[in-house]
C-alpha cells in the first residue's frame, strides 16, 4: 500500500470522528485551532521565511511571492478567519424539507458531510487553514495538497492545527497535509474513488486542467473568471462607470475582477471616452475592437485571445455591441461561467440578461467584486465553483455537505400482501 | 469533426431553446409527446419486435428479455408516465433563498437547468421516454445512449417524441438518441467537457465502472443497492418480519430490494427461525454466518462475497451481530451507500443508526422498497444516486437543476473609493 493511500485511509477514518462532532464541539475546536496558530506563530513565520528564501532563490517575485509571504499581521488574519468560521451556522444535521406521505411515512431531507475532501491549490498558505476550518465545520476531513513553494509554511500551520485536534480527541489525519508533491502522488490522490468524496482544485489553468484530466473522483472546478460588464443602452452611465472602476481596479488580481467591457452602441460615444479617461488615470490599459477604437483612437486593438483572457492585471478588453443579444452572444462565446454584470435601468433588459446568461453569478447594477462568499452572505468560502453541479458560484460550508433522505415509519410495507400472517 | 461531437453540439444548441421554455409550454410539450407515442405505438411495437427477434436469436432470455419487451399496455404506461411528469412542479426559475445584505444588495438563489445531460443505460426502452421527459421538464436537453439490444425501440420512441418537439418549435436534437453504440463513441461522449454537463449511468457494475473510468464530464453514479435490514434487540419482531418479506420478495430484481439481514443476537433465536420459514415459503434461499446456521442448521454458509453481493434474486445473506455498532460496522464495510433499514422501537438506537449510517436513504421501521422517487414524494425519478454529491438518493426533476446567484443592486461597489468623481 502506498503512502498516499495510507494517508487517505487515515483521513477517512478521521472523517468519521469529525462527522460525529456536535456544533459546539466543532466551534470550540476551531477556536482552539486559532489560538494554537497564534501560539505557534514564531514557528510558522520561521517556516515561511524558509519558503520565501527558496522561492526567491528560484527567481519567484511579484504577486506570487507576495501571496506566499506571511507576517504577524497575516497570521493574525488567518487566526481571525478561523474564529469567523467557528461562528458560522453548522450545516450538518439541518433538515431542509419534511413531508408526511399519504401512507404515514415521514420523509426528511437532512444534510450530512461529504466525507473526505481533497483540496488542491497553489502558493497561498492561508488556504491551508481556511480550507481546513470550513471542511471541519461542515463535518468533513480534508487532504491538503498545496504548492511546493509553500510546503514549509503549510506543514507549520498544520502542526499548529494538529495541536488543537489532539486536544479535542480528533485524529490529526482529519487535517492531512501531503508532503509528496509529485505529479504521480497527485494522480494517485485523484483516483482514490473509494476514499476521496470530492476534489476541489483552486488555481491556474494548468492546475485545473491537470486535475480534470486525471481525476476519477468527483471534481468541482474553481476555474478562471472572465467577468463581463455590459453597459446597456438604458444604463445610468455614472453608475456604470463606478461599477467599471471598482470591477477593474479595486483588486485586479482576483477572479471576480472585470476583464471585458461591452458597451451598447447607442451609448458608446457618451460612455467610452469618459470611461477610458477614468481607467487610464488609474493605470489601466485598454484593448478594443474597431468601433471602440473609432471613439478612442489611441486604444490598442483587441485580439480574439484578449476576449478570452483572464488578465488578472490592469488590462481591459472592450467591445461595442449592437444590442443586448449581441452582448449575451459575446459572453456565451468568451465567458467562463463565473460572474457577469449588466448596468441598466431597464427592468426588462435586466430580466432578459439574467435569464439568458447561465453564469454562476449574475449581477444587475452591482459590482462583479461582490461575487464572493462573504459578500453574498455565506460567511466564508472555499472558492467559487464554475462547475454547474452541486454548487455553482461561491461555496460556503453548506456546499461541503449533501442532502440525504431519512424516512421514519411504523411498519409500512410497499406491497401489503407481503405481510406475514403471524 | 466527429459525428458524436456534432450531435452533442446540436443538443447543446437545443438546450438553450428548452431552457427558455416556460412551465406551461413544457407541460404542453410533454402531453403532446405522450399523445405522439400513443399515435405511433404500432411503429414502436414493430421496432420492439425486431429488437426482441434479434435478442432472442442472440440467446437473451429471462429478466433481461422481459425488460426489453414492449406491448400495448407498456406503451400506454410510458405515455402515462410522460403525462405524470407534465404535472410535476417546474423546478426552473424557483427562488430557493432570498436575502438583503446590509449594503442593500438583494441576493437570490435561483434554480437553472444543468444544460446537456448524457443518460447512459441498458436494455429498458421505457428509460428513453422517462429520462427525456424529466430532463425536458427541468429545462435540459438530453443525449440518450441506451443498450444495443433496444436500439430499434429507442429510435422509434424518439421518432414519436420528435413529432411533438417539432410541433412545439423545439429542435429534435433536444432528445438525441445515439446510434453509434460502440465503446469509442461512448468514450468520446463522456469526454465532451465543453458540451456535456452531467453523465448519468444507470445499469450494471460493468457499465458504471466503464463510465467512471472514462468520463471527464461530471458523473452521478446510480450504482448497486446492497440494502440491509438490521433487526435491533428492541424491534417489534412482527413488524421486522413484514419489512423483511416486503424488502426481499415484493420485487427482488430491483435496487431497493433487501440483500442482507442483520439480527441482534438477543433476538436471533426468536426471529431467525420464524423469518427463515416465512422466506422459504416464498422461495428465498438463505446464506448465513455460523451463528445464524446454529439457529437454522440447514442454511447455506455465507461467504464474504455474499455480503457484498447485489443478488437481485430470491437470495438473502444473513448475519447475527453482537449489537447496533456491529451492525453499523458491517454496513460500512459491505454497503453500497444506497438504502439501509433499522427495525427498532428504541428511539435512541434509531437515532444512533441514522447518524452513523451515511447511505443515501435511511429508513426507520419502513421497508427499503420505499427508496424510490415516487414513493418519497419526488413524483418521478431519473434514478437513485449513490454519489455523495449534488444529489444523493432518488433524483427527481429538481436534481437536474442547480442553484445560482442573482444579485440586484443600485450601483453598489465594493471599494467606495472606486467611485469616479463625475
Amino acid at each position: 500500500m502506498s503512502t498516499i493511500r495510507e494517508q487517505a485511509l487515515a483521513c477517512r477514518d478521521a472523517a468519521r470522528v469529525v462527522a460525529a462532532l456536535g456544533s459546539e464541539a466543532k466551534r470550540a475546536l476551531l477556536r482552539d485551532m486559532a489560538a494554537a496558530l497564534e501560539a505557534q506563530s514564531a514557528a510558522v513565520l520561521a517556516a515561511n521565511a524558509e519558503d520565501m528564501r527558496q522561492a526567491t532563490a528560484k527567481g519567484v517575485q511579484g504577486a506570487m511571492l507576495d501571496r506566499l509571504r506571511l507576517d504577524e499581521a497575516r497570521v493574525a488574519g488567518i487566526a481571525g478567519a478561523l474564529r469567523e468560521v467557528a461562528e458560522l451556522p453548522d450545516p450538518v444535521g439541518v433538515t431542509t424539507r419534511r413531508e408526511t406521505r399519504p401512507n404515514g411515512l415521514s420523509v426528511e431531507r437532512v444534510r450530512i458531510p461529504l466525507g473526505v475532501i481533497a483540496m488542491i491549490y497553489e502558493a497561498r498558505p492561508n488556504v491551508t487553514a481556511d480550507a481546513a476550518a470550513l471542511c471541519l465545520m461542515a463535518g468533513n476531513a480534508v487532504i491538503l495538497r498545496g504548492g511546493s513553494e509553500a510546503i514549509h509554511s503549510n506543514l507549520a500551520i498544520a502542526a499548529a492545527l494538529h495541536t488543537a485536534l489532539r486536544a479535542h480527541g480528533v485524529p490529526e489525519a482529519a487535517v492531512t497535509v501531503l508532503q509528496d508533491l509529485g505529479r504521480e502522488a497527485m494522480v494517485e490522490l485523484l483516483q482514490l474513488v473509494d476514499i476521496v468524496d470530492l476534489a476541489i482544485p483552486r488555481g491556474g489553468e494548468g492546475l485545473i486542467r491537470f486535475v480534470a484530466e486525471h481525476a476519477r473522483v468527483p471534481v468541482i472546478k474553481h476555474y478562471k473568471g472572465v467577468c463581463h460588464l455590459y453597459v446597456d443602452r438604458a444604463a445610468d452611465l455614472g453608475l456604470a462607470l463606478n461599477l467599471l472602476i471598482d470591477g477593474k481596479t479595486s483588486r485586479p488580481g482576483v477572479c471576480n475582477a472585470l476583464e471585458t467591457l461591452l458597451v451598447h452602441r447607442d451609448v458608446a460615444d457618451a460612455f467610452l471616452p469618459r470611461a477610458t479617461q477614468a481607467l487610464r488615470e488609474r493605470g489601466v490599459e485598454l484593448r478594443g475592437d474597431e468601433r471602440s477604437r473609432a471613439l478612442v483612437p489611441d486604444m490598442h486593438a483587441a485580439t480574439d485571445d484578449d476576449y478570452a483572457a483572464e488578465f488578472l492585471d490592469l488590462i481591459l478588453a472592450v467591445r461595442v455591441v449592437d444590442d443586448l443579444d449581441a452582448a449575451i452572444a459575446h459572453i456565451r462565446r468568451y465567458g467562463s461561467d463565473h460572474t457577469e454584470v449588466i448596468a441598466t435601468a431597464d427592468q426588462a433588459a435586466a430580466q432578459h440578461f439574467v435569464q439568458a446568461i447561465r453564469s454562476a453569478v449574475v449581477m444587475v447594477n452591482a459590482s462583479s467584486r461582490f461575487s464572493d462568499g462573504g459578500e453574498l452572505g455565506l460567511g466564508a468560502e472555499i472558492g467559487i465553483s464554475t462547475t454547474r453541479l452541486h454548487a455553482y458560484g461561491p461555496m460556503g460550508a453548506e456546499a461541503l455537505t449533501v442532502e440525504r433522505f431519512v424516512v421514519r415509519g411504523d411498519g409500512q410495507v410497499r406491497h401489503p400482501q407481503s405481510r406475514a400472517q403471524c
Side-chain angles (χ1 to χ4, degrees), chain A residues 83-211:
Chain A
R83 292 192 177 96
E84 280 175 27
V85 173
E87 302 310 314
L88 291 179
D90 184 352
V92 176
V94 170
T95 298
T96 58
R97 279 176 267 195
R98 194 188 308 259
E99 183 191 2
T100 301
R101 302 290 303 157
N103 60 4
L105 283 183
S106 148
V107 180
E108 293 183 6
R109 310 259 200 117
V110 181
R111 291 200 169 278
I112 60 171
L114 297 177
V116 173
I117 294 168
M119 185 80 200
I120 295 163
Y121 54 107
E122 293 179 331
R124 291 167 58 169
N126 64 303
V127 174
T128 305
D130 292 354
L134 262 177
C135 288
L136 291 172
M137 194 64 205
N140 302 289
V142 65
I143 299 173
L144 297 149
R145 196 279 186 194
S148 57
E149 307 81 2
I151 185 67
H152 298 96
S153 311
N154 290 340
L155 288 171
I157 290 169
L161 305 184
H162 287 165
T163 310
L165 288 168
R166 279 196 303 274
H168 286 260
V170 178
E172 291 181 8
V175 177
T176 296
V177 171
L178 292 189
Q179 298 195 50
D180 180 350
L181 303 181
R183 293 252 145 163
E184 276 182 30
M186 178 145 65
V187 170
E188 187 176 353
L189 174 68
L190 292 169
Q191 303 196 344
L192 294 173
V193 290
D194 52 337
I195 305 176
V196 174
D197 294 286
L198 173 64
I200 301 181
R202 246 176 85 175
E205 195 159 342
L207 178 74
I208 304 273
R209 283 195 194 283
F210 184 86
V211 170

Side-chain angles (χ1 to χ4, degrees), chain A residues 41-323:
Chain A
S41 77
V44 170
L45 292 176
N48 183 251
E50 176 62 19
D51 283 333
M52 290 291 286
R53 195 188 61 72
Q54 293 188 10
T56 309
K58 275 193 217 155
V60 176
Q61 53 187 350
M64 188 165 168
L65 197 66
D66 183 62
R67 281 197 288 270
L68 179 58
R69 192 175 60 82
L70 293 178
D71 54 26
E72 286 198 21
R74 286 190 177 184
V75 172
I78 296 172
L82 292 182
R83 292 192 177 96
E84 280 175 27
V85 173
E87 302 310 314
L88 291 179
D90 184 352
V92 176
V94 170
T95 298
T96 58
R97 279 176 267 195
R98 194 188 308 259
E99 183 191 2
T100 301
R101 302 290 303 157
N103 60 4
L105 283 183
S106 148
V107 180
E108 293 183 6
R109 310 259 200 117
V110 181
R111 291 200 169 278
I112 60 171
L114 297 177
V116 173
I117 294 168
M119 185 80 200
I120 295 163
Y121 54 107
E122 293 179 331
R124 291 167 58 169
N126 64 303
V127 174
T128 305
D130 292 354
L134 262 177
C135 288
L136 291 172
M137 194 64 205
N140 302 289
V142 65
I143 299 173
L144 297 149
R145 196 279 186 194
S148 57
E149 307 81 2
I151 185 67
H152 298 96
S153 311
N154 290 340
L155 288 171
I157 290 169
L161 305 184
H162 287 165
T163 310
L165 288 168
R166 279 196 303 274
H168 286 260
V170 178
E172 291 181 8
V175 177
T176 296
V177 171
L178 292 189
Q179 298 195 50
D180 180 350
L181 303 181
R183 293 252 145 163
E184 276 182 30
M186 178 145 65
V187 170
E188 187 176 353
L189 174 68
L190 292 169
Q191 303 196 344
L192 294 173
V193 290
D194 52 337
I195 305 176
V196 174
D197 294 286
L198 173 64
I200 301 181
R202 246 176 85 175
E205 195 159 342
L207 178 74
I208 304 273
R209 283 195 194 283
F210 184 86
V211 170
E213 175 63 27
H214 292 93
R216 300 296 171 270
V217 305
V219 174
I220 293 184
K221 288 179 223 170
H222 294 241
Y223 196 39
K224 64 184 178 182
V226 180
C227 304
H228 297 76
L229 167 63
Y230 165 61
V231 179
D232 186 44
R233 154 168 71 180
D236 173 329
L237 297 185
L239 180 153
L241 186 56
N242 288 334
L243 301 188
L244 176 62
I245 293 170
D246 190 61
K248 184 68 254 181
T249 70
S250 65
R251 206 168 162 201
V254 294
C255 63
N256 61 19
L258 287 178
E259 305 294 5
T260 299
L261 169 67
L262 304 171
V263 185
H264 192 289
R265 63 178 175 187
D266 290 357
V267 294
D269 56 352
F271 186 72
L272 260 189
R274 184 173 153 194
T276 304
Q277 189 191 337
L279 289 172
R280 284 182 173 162
E281 285 168 6
R282 290 161 175 84
V284 178
E285 176 194 333
L286 287 89
R287 301 180 185 174
D289 67 335
E290 280 196 22
R291 289 202 279 182
S292 309
R293 296 172 73 214
L295 294 166
V296 184
D298 54 342
M299 193 187 288
H300 293 286
T303 65
D304 224 46
D305 285 351
D306 286 326
Y307 289 121
E310 185 187 35
F311 296 115
L312 297 174
D313 203 349
L314 289 172
I315 303 170
L316 182 74
V318 182
R319 172 171 268 173
V320 174
V321 294
D322 282 338
D323 55 19

Side-chain angles (χ1 to χ4, degrees), chain A residues 8-20:
Chain A
L9 282 170
C11 188
R12 187 178 65 179
D13 288 343
R16 289 182 183 162
V17 179
V18 178

Side-chain angles (χ1 to χ4, degrees), chain A residues 220-222 384-396 399-400:
Chain A
I220 293 184
K221 288 179 223 170
H222 294 241
I384 298 180
S385 162
T386 55
T387 296
R388 197 179 293 107
L389 198 78
H390 183 72
Y392 192 36
M395 283 179 76
L400 299 173

